[in-house]
Amino acid sequence: VSDCQVCLKHKNFESVTGVLLAERGGWFLSHFPFLLNEKTVPGHLLIETARHITELSEMTNDEAAALGSLIRNGSSKIKSILGAEHIYVVRINDVTPHLHFHLVPRYANTPKEWWGPKIMQWPERRSISHDEIKILSKKLKF
Ligand SMILES: [Zn+2]
């Protein structure tokens, strides 16, 4: 869909964050953020359908099966390479309709009041620059 920012990104990852980590079974795995000015926790990944669909019910059987492997493989990379203690899987899709999921790592010493969906708003969360994301992504690719 021509006015979808996610579809546009898929045409040229370099034009946005430039960090494609894996392409499997109809999905793209990339490192957050979508926009360069968004604060980014190391290992916050996005899993997006290659096709423009907006509902969970629109996934094919193959896409649904591949999603499970990507969640497993993406989260085990975040744990083994970055040492995250817990990984959240979040689907919101309120602002960006193109079906996608976030893998959001929680690191040790995150105060309990910021656990859960609020973790993405914790002001003291770890963050990395776009250049650091590029370096890290070489380790996260699979
Ligand atoms: Zn789209």
Side-chain angles (χ1 to χ4, degrees):
V1 177
S2 61
D3 62 347
C4 170
Q5 293 302 305
V6 178
C7 288
L8 276 177
K9 176 176 111 173
H10 292 171
K11 283 186 184 151
N12 183 6
F13 276 87
E14 297 294 325
S15 70
V16 247
T17 59
V19 187
L20 174 64
L21 301 177
E23 184 180 358
R24 296 276 192 293
W27 298 89
F28 289 117
L29 180 74
S30 58
H31 200 293
F32 192 79
F34 187 73
L35 301 169
L36 294 177
N37 59 1
E38 287 176 283
K39 183 168 178 171
T40 305
V41 173
H44 179 162
L45 306 185
L46 291 168
I47 303 176
E48 298 153 339
T49 46
R51 295 190 301 139
H52 183 90
I53 57 173
T54 58
E55 297 297 329
L56 294 164
S57 58
E58 292 177 273
M59 285 189 278
T60 63
N61 286 336
D62 287 348
E63 286 165 344
L67 176 62
S69 313
L70 273 175
I71 289 172
R72 179 194 61 200
N73 297 343
S75 61
S76 64
K77 283 270 184 186
I78 302 167
K79 280 201 161 187
S80 63
I81 290 168
L82 291 163
E85 68 177 12
H86 189 78
I87 315 289
Y88 298 105
V89 180
V90 183
R91 182 235 173 182
I92 301 170
N93 279 146
D94 286 336
V95 177
T96 306
H98 188 126
L99 185 64
H100 66 279
F101 298 85
H102 297 256
L103 295 183
V104 185
R106 189 187 74 216
Y107 292 100
N109 304 318
T110 302
K112 270 209 169 152
E113 61 263 36
W114 292 100
W115 287 21
K118 286 177 293 183
I119 195 151
M120 290 189 275
Q121 273 87 48
W122 181 34
E124 291 167 52
R125 65 194 184 280
R126 251 197 244 176
S127 73
I128 54 173
S129 70
H130 187 239
D131 286 341
E132 290 169 316
I133 292 169
K134 284 193 164 169
I135 294 165
L136 171 63
S137 295
K138 289 184 181 132
K139 297 180 196 161
L140 293 173
K141 266 188 182 143
F142 62 91

